Amino acid sequence: MEMDAHGVLSNGEMDVQNENAAGSSTQNPPQRVLTVDQALPLTTYTSVVPFNSDIVPFPSVGRNPSASLFATPEERARGRQHLDSLNKEATANPGNTSQRLQQTLEDLKELLKPHGLTHFKFKHLPKLPNEAAMVEPAGVSLSPVARKVLELTSSKLKYQSSKYLSSKPTNGKAQHTIQKSPIGHPSEGHLPPLIHSPKKHISTPKTDGRLSASNIEAVSHNSNLSVQPSLAQPKAPIATPRQPSTPIKPSSRFQIVIPSLPDDFPHEEYATPSKKLSKSDIKTTVESPTLAISHLPKSSVKDQTHTGLHSETTPSRSISTATARASAPDSDSSPGLAIVIPDLPCAFNPRDYETVPDLTDIPNHLSRKRKRSQIDGENDGSFMSIDQREKADIASRNLRYYLQQIFEAEEQMHPENCSSNSLFVPTTEGFTLGPVANYKVEDLITKMILARRFAEAPVEDLLRLQNLVLGGLRDGETVDIKVHGSMGESEVESWLQQSFVADLGLKAARTSLRLMSGHREENQIYSEDVLQATLNVFRNVMDNCIIPVVEMRSTGSAAVAFKLLLAQKKVIANILIQCRKVLSRLAVIVADVELSETMVNLIEFTASRLIFVENAAIERDSLLGIAKFDSLRVVAMSVLEQVFVCHPAQRPGILDEILVSLEKLPVTKQSARQYMLAEGDRIQLVSALIMRLIQSSAGKPNDAKERRRLKALEALNGDGADGMKVAGHSDQTFTIKSESMAKQQPEIAVAELRDIVSPLDGAVKKNSLHVVNFLVERAMKSTKTGDTPYRNLLDLFVEDFITCLGSIDWPAAEYLLNRFLVKMVTLLSGSKTPAPTKNTALDLLGTMGAAIAKVSSGVRKSANSREAEDELTLYLANQAHETLENRGGAMDMTAWGASPLRVSLESLNRSVDSRNNSSAGFLVYEWAERLLEALDHRKDHEYSTHNEGDIGKLSYRLRMMIGDRQWLSTEYNYDSISPSNTRLAYSLVSLKSHFCREFKRILSILVDSMQSEQATVRSKSLKSIIQVLETDRTILDQYPAVMQHVQKCSSDPSVLVRDSALTLLGKFIQWRPAMQEQFAPSILELFEDESGVVCKRAMKLSKDIYLNDTGRGVRSVIAQAVLHQVTNKEESVRDLACQIIEDIWMVPFHGYEDIDKTSAKFKLAMADHVTLIAKTIQRDGRIANVLDKVLQSMLSKTSKHCSKNFRVCKYLVATMFEIIIDNSSTEAETVSAGEALQALRIFAKANADLFTPEQIEQLEPYISNVNTAEDISIFHHVVVIFRHVLPKLSRDHLNFLVKVRGKLLPTLTRMGQKSAIDDIVACAWIISGVIGDIKNLTTMTCSILLHIDSLKRREMKDLDSQALRKLSRMIAIGGICGKHCNFDPELAAFKFKFPAFKDNSVSKLMVDTIAPFSQPNVPTDTRKEALEAIGMICQSWPRNFQSPNIYTTFQTVFQEKDLVLEAVVLKALKEFLIMAEDRPEAESGGAPGVDADPTKSLGVMGGGQGDGIPNFIARQFLEDIRRICLASSDSQALLATEVLASIARQGLCHPKECGVTFIALETSPNPQIAEIAAREHRALHETHEQKLEKEYMRAVEIAYKYQRDVVGDTHGATEKPFAAKLHLMIDILKISKVSNRKKLFENLCSRINFDPVKMSMEQLPHHLDFSQFIIENLAFFDYASVDELRATIRKMELVVSTSGVGIADLIETEIFPVVLQNSTEASENGQLQSTQPAIDRERLTILAGASMMLSILWGARTFLRRLYGQSKDKAVPKDLNRAPVKVPFVTGDKFWEENSSIMASFESEESMMKQCRSFVELMTIDEDVKVAAEGDEEVSRVRHSTPSEGEEDEAEPTSGGGRGRKRKAAGTPGGRKKRARSSSVALGRGRLKGAGKRLSLEQSDDDI
């Protein structure tokens, strides 16, 4: 036995030093020497995970690992379930202990009582004199249950000290001991800290506390160790000299000696990196020279304590060092072998290190190399058991006996007795094997093949058997089993007889194919004739039976046949099963047998046809059942896959045929997705087929057939065939033959892998790109609503691939999605890509991004939910965390032992489904691709973890797996893999794929698309982002900039973008409620959006914010914004605003009914709500004008919650009164008395029943003081409240009422506002009416009238300003008194004061007294007050309107056209007419509560004075009112419009008088005027359609003049968005017949035409503007039917073709005359120049204007065709009454720009010439113009042949055979023939130089 230089024996045994040579000192106590088993736990081997656990056991103290309490990890997990549940209970309820937990703690407390515990006493070795100070241990983290046990435990254990280190002298020596603290008392709560480098901190990944079981045991084990140090300290490093070999004695012991490190030890160079260590690092660590094994004398050996080095961060770069409890040393002096560990220096500071979790190494031990004997035995079958061999012998014997029986029966057969034999059946040509014999033979052959004994069968017997089944094949080829929809009962019976022949033929085909699938080498068996017959039988049955049955439906013409065949469903289903089995045998034949190209094509065609057979969409329409036929299509898919794999030349054709046939697929999701995945989802069968074909492209073609063919050729030709090779099958030789060679030559191994992967990569890319490009290109040329289905199919395919993303069975899904992703990115980056294509790309990118987010989220959830069940689970979980945090290199995914790719591949290889072969092959290809890519981009730090040798071996293994798919399972064993680990592993593979790594890029593209120029693209990008974020909301935390971009889009000009952005903001608030304050301002801004959809969405979002937010400021702002929308012009917005106010202000308090009204909770809630309402009212004064109407709506009987709302309002009113009474608080948030009274004022207007008499009386003190402005404001609020609530009081409150009236009347002269005076007078009149005393008011009014009367006889110029102001004030008070008070009962008192007054009405006295001050000679201010007073009096006493002095005064005002005075008169008329409209309701009692308000009933004051007055007003002032309506668009026009609307509603004028005005006002830029006009126009049209029908053309002219004179814009449409100005008129006309609208459109087109001869220069601009107005309206009308649209287009074409021809002739004749060649003049230098005749500027202007008009009309025609897809060659639709559909993304920008350019042609003579030339070219070369003219051919021919015109019909056909256009129109001057065109005139497109005739050239509409 020899020993090496390190003292290691050649056979692996350690050399042990003789103890006699130690020379130990007898003064030291005997040293404790460790055995190998005892020493190994103290070495770095403790943390190394060996490949085989039998080599080095895991260290443990006490119980042997084999004697564990738990036999399996599952038992351990079950054992911890109870403890985990207790921990959860303790954590969830720390202060409330459950009964179960309490009982458990009590039981543990009993177990830990001191009397039941064993006490141990240990001896300690003396402490070394110069030993370094020990560090204090680190703390232990106890579980919740353990902590409670510690708190409950009362055991008192003895300690030597409070520290782990105890030093006390023993026999004069220091003793140093490390002890473990008792349970719960780890020596002041600390354990030894782990050491880390002070220079370089270690960064380790979070492990969430999931440590492996082994690490947990190691920590627990190391904490129980006690190391005895040696007594002597060597002063120099220990050297181990080479000693002679001595036999090892049984008493020999190992000893661990830990020498100290030198003082200059470089600690920073040995800091452990944070990355994981590879196997090479582990090996280097184990072989580190810091571990020296030597023979040491006892006196020189030292056992240094080393508790601080527990983690991998040791200065010696060891993975883990631990100390173990050693056995007691023997007392003898036997030699010992020591393991020396260097000591730490004195400067070592353990506090510079920190605890880091253990790094999980790759569990490579899961993969084990199989023994060669096992591999060889499996290959040759020698490892078959005795039972297997016996079964194989039985199968061989049975087949031989049965064939012998068949052959004997055949020899005895005669044609006449065939029926008596059970083995044979007769055929047309003799006999053949019967069904039973076929089944038995096939079964026996199958067993022989499976037993690998089929080669023993005699070939003669097999050929004879093949001939016996040939008769059944022949009959099956020709049998007539055709199924059709017109079959009757007799035909079905006949078909049933023939079906047995077909069934026999299919079984014979199965037998023949089974004979060919046994891998026999005899070529005679593989007869192509037999195979052709087999295929013919299958095709005959499929084409004539199965496919017709599948396509037959239960309804329609085939319903009877369907019902008859349904009775034979079992027979047909059996035939289908036989067909499926034959097809599956064909798949095997294609893979194993060399077939001719013809046969391969025939098989491929047959299989591909089955893929696209239209199956039923629902089960009841399928005779066989949807799933049954789909199972046949799955087998056909396998056949196509085999053809695709085995015949690479057929691949392009197969893909093309599949892609072209996609049009046959259904495009609805329900009927398209019939293929069931293993996970339960459904996809299209074609999607599965495409993925399998792509996966098959990654596999190396099986060349076994080719090798067999070459071998046969060699045997046939002899040596001459040695060099024979077939193209495409060259023999590829490799240098690397084994893993050991690959390890030694890694570069060659990688190169060879690259050589074999390169062609596979090319094939995969080529085929996948072909599929993707085909689908995308076809989809971009179609739409979802178009005739072609590719747009929908593209969505279906992408969704299917996304469904398969993350499924291990379909790895090609990720590859195809990545190709789609690249294609979409390319389309989006193109500058010329149209918007529809970009929208499609964004839509798909959003779907893909959501899919990636789903995979990432799934991985995160799976990794966080994993516990440390086993090493593989822990490793995959750590890999998941590193992947999600973008840590870890690419090489980690390609490692051999337990990488996600390896785990996924092992799972696939264990699958019994043969369809997973392509999945496994593609996964191997992907593994190789990722490895090569990682090597190309490998970083420097990855070389240490993945050495070159391992890479070389991995490359060799991958190459072998690509060449042989069984190589991995043959060469290696792998531990079991749970399904959850399989899913997580492949999810990691998907997450690290190219596709999923593009997520950040996808999100960036979507965000960048928000800045696109196209609005539809911006909107689509927002919708796509919604799709992504809904899948994984954590993206918002990773990319917060997304929210900023979305918020910016909320102010986008496009409605679509704003709506999408608002939707996304709502999602953000839903996901992150804290962001609602950030987004609230942007949402509130959209309340004023012009789009009702956006406005309503913003209001709904604000409601959610209001209900979720507790801040009063935010809620107040939201309520204010919502209340403003109560006056919105759109009714739906108004209704929603009212509903939201009810939801936020009333509904939350509906549940307060059962709460004590005196409780603090109720009072605080009400006070807070009142404060909110009051502050909201104070924010904007306009709210008070709408809130009362909102409250009225809530409290009305039509409200759903009227009673509950009423109770809430009463609570609020009561709270407001409490605030008014107790208003001592001065805080800013407190409501003041004025604010509370203002709110009460609104509630009083809404419903007076909310107030009680007691509450009303409490307001009386607030009307006593009106000194300050605040007092006046409070006074006014109280007066308004009294005005509305005092009518509810009775005479029981007489004193209170008298007191109030007494305080109100003196304040009349002190009030400056008329509204306050009006409220005071109204309140005083109400009180007077309740108490029955009006004398005070009578006296006051008489006094006022006397004062006014005294001034009417004086000249106004004699009155000073103060007197005029007093007069105006008296007139105003008098008018208000006349409005509210009925003084007729006190007529005598007034006559007494005015003796000259003879009438019987006081109101007549009042208006006569005031009327003189309304004359023109009176100052304007006084005159205005007089008119207002007269108007107020006449409202209550209407008969005064008929007084001559009154209506003449009003007429004078209208004649003067003074805007201020007109507004006064209009206001008076409006208020009276509105009251007149309400009068029938008041008289009929239709409006509840109206009679209670004396201010709103004509029956109270004036009796029946209103009869006939409205009609009188309409007759007198209608024309003036219409004039004011059409004179402006301001508030004056709005007031006049309201008056006119009231007149129209009451039927006071003819419909055409006001209807025309309403149509013109519908184009007003004032939305209020337009809304009122449209509403009244609709009402008139519904009742007087026939009367208005003839007025629409006049209305259009008036609308044009209104736009020209008032608006100042003669365009017929508005921009952004484009809308016709007359669109409201057309919307109303849609209720009429189509014929009426057609007639209107045709009249509008005809109105454009004019005669250029009669047109003057003055008329031309106006007519041109009017034509533009009509044309642009026609272009942007929203047509209700295809019929009217086509009629409009035809009329446009007719106008252009008829008028345009004449205009073009005149232009050519007068503007561009042909100059003859001899018309030349000599210039100054003698050269000849052609002369151009002078052009008449006026004539040029007229002709240019005509051409402009017709060019615009033709442009509108072209735009309408493009907008609605009405091409001239498109067939006329069947349903002309349906609404036309607009083509997406066609806008009017181009048409608008062209019109603007044409209308600018009058700017210069050059531009007019250019316009004329363009028009001539249009009429010359546009074929559509001439085609349109053909409709008027007959009229044109008559016109051209009129003798009076003296013209000749010289129109000749062009050389191209087309018709020439008409030469002249009616307006062309007669008698003049066309001259030749001058060569100096610029030629248009398609015009030959010098040609006199126009040529017809095709020109698309888009070019016009």
Side-chain angles (χ1 to χ4, degrees), residues 383-393:
F383 267 33
M384 296 177 63
S385 64
I386 297 176
D387 184 59
Q388 291 174 334
R389 292 178 181 174
E390 183 178 355
K391 289 182 179 180
D393 293 339

Side-chain angles (χ1 to χ4, degrees), residues 1436-1439 1472 1476 1479 1498 1501-1511:
S1436 299
W1437 309 93
R1439 195 170 294 270
F1472 167 72
R1479 182 182 176 186
L1498 294 178
M1501 293 181 294
Q1505 291 188 9
D1507 298 338
I1509 304 302
N1511 193 14

Side-chain angles (χ1 to χ4, degrees), residues 856-1066:
S856 178
S857 177
V859 169
R860 183 181 296 106
K861 292 178 182 178
S862 180
N864 291 335
S865 63
R866 295 301 178 95
E867 296 182 357
E869 301 172 354
D870 51 34
E871 293 177 88
L872 180 59
T873 303
L874 181 60
Y875 174 74
L876 292 176
N878 282 339
Q879 284 285 314
H881 287 295
E882 290 184 358
T883 302
L884 292 172
E885 296 171 7
N886 293 324
R887 295 187 291 109
M891 297 294 293
D892 295 336
M893 295 296 296
T894 60
W896 173 252
S899 67
L901 281 165
R902 175 68 185 281
V903 174
S904 303
L905 186 59
E906 289 289 348
S907 301
L908 277 177
N909 287 339
R910 297 179 185 186
S911 175
V912 297
D913 192 350
S914 60
R915 291 176 292 181
N916 289 334
N917 290 337
S918 63
S919 304
F922 191 88
L923 206 57
V924 173
Y925 154 78
E926 190 173 1
W927 193 349
E929 272 291 308
R930 293 196 186 187
L931 174 62
L932 296 176
E933 182 183 2
L935 292 176
D936 294 338
H937 302 87
R938 185 168 55 168
K939 299 178 181 179
D940 295 338
H941 68 82
E942 294 185 282
Y943 280 91
S944 59
T945 57
H946 302 275
N947 58 56
E948 299 297 330
D950 292 340
I951 294 174
K953 290 194 296 183
L954 180 58
S955 300
Y956 168 76
R957 293 164 180 165
L958 290 174
R959 176 170 64 81
M960 296 303 294
M961 284 189 284
I962 291 175
D964 183 6
R965 294 179 181 175
Q966 303 300 324
W967 184 87
L968 179 61
S969 58
T970 302
E971 296 289 333
Y972 284 89
N973 284 329
Y974 205 86
D975 287 356
S976 61
I977 304 172
S978 64
S980 59
N981 282 342
T982 299
R983 288 190 295 270
L984 178 57
Y986 189 71
S987 296
L988 287 174
V989 173
S990 300
L991 196 59
K992 292 289 287 185
S993 64
H994 290 285
F995 173 66
C996 292
R997 285 191 309 222
E998 293 293 327
F999 177 75
K1000 185 179 294 186
R1001 185 181 183 187
I1002 292 175
L1003 195 61
S1004 176
I1005 291 174
L1006 295 179
V1007 172
D1008 292 342
S1009 297
M1010 296 182 193
Q1011 316 299 326
S1012 174
E1013 296 179 356
Q1014 293 96 349
T1016 54
V1017 175
R1018 299 195 298 271
S1019 175
K1020 181 60 70 174
S1021 66
L1022 289 168
K1023 293 178 181 178
S1024 299
I1025 287 180
I1026 294 176
Q1027 193 174 5
V1028 174
L1029 296 179
E1030 283 181 339
T1031 307
D1032 187 4
R1033 301 171 187 176
T1034 60
I1035 298 173
L1036 288 176
D1037 303 326
Q1038 303 173 21
Y1039 307 97
V1042 174
M1043 292 183 288
Q1044 300 175 5
H1045 287 85
V1046 174
Q1047 189 173 9
K1048 184 178 179 181
C1049 289
S1050 63
S1051 58
D1052 192 272
S1054 171
V1055 176
L1056 289 174
V1057 179
R1058 295 197 301 273
D1059 185 55
S1060 300
L1062 197 56
T1063 303
L1064 196 47
L1065 289 179

Side-chain angles (χ1 to χ4, degrees), residues 1067-1085:
K1067 296 288 184 181
F1068 291 161
I1069 294 174
Q1070 179 183 354
W1071 300 333
R1072 301 288 188 273
M1075 296 179 179
Q1076 56 188 10
E1077 292 187 7
Q1078 175 184 349
F1079 299 137
S1082 300
I1083 296 174
L1084 293 177
E1085 289 178 0

Side-chain angles (χ1 to χ4, degrees), residues 301-368:
V301 176
K302 163 182 166 293
D303 190 359
Q304 178 71 25
T305 302
H306 203 56
T307 60
L309 303 177
H310 176 62
S311 69
E312 57 270 305
T313 59
T314 63
S316 60
R317 293 185 63 190
S318 62
I319 295 177
S320 175
T321 59
T323 57
R325 182 177 58 197
S327 60
D330 296 336
S331 58
D332 58 358
S333 58
S334 58
L337 191 62
I339 299 176
V340 181
I341 300 177
D343 193 9
L344 292 174
C346 296
F348 174 76
N349 186 9
R351 303 184 188 279
D352 294 335
Y353 297 83
E354 65 180 3
T355 303
V356 294
D358 292 338
L359 295 179
T360 304
D361 298 318
I362 301 176
N364 291 319
H365 63 278
L366 300 177
S367 175
R368 295 176 297 278

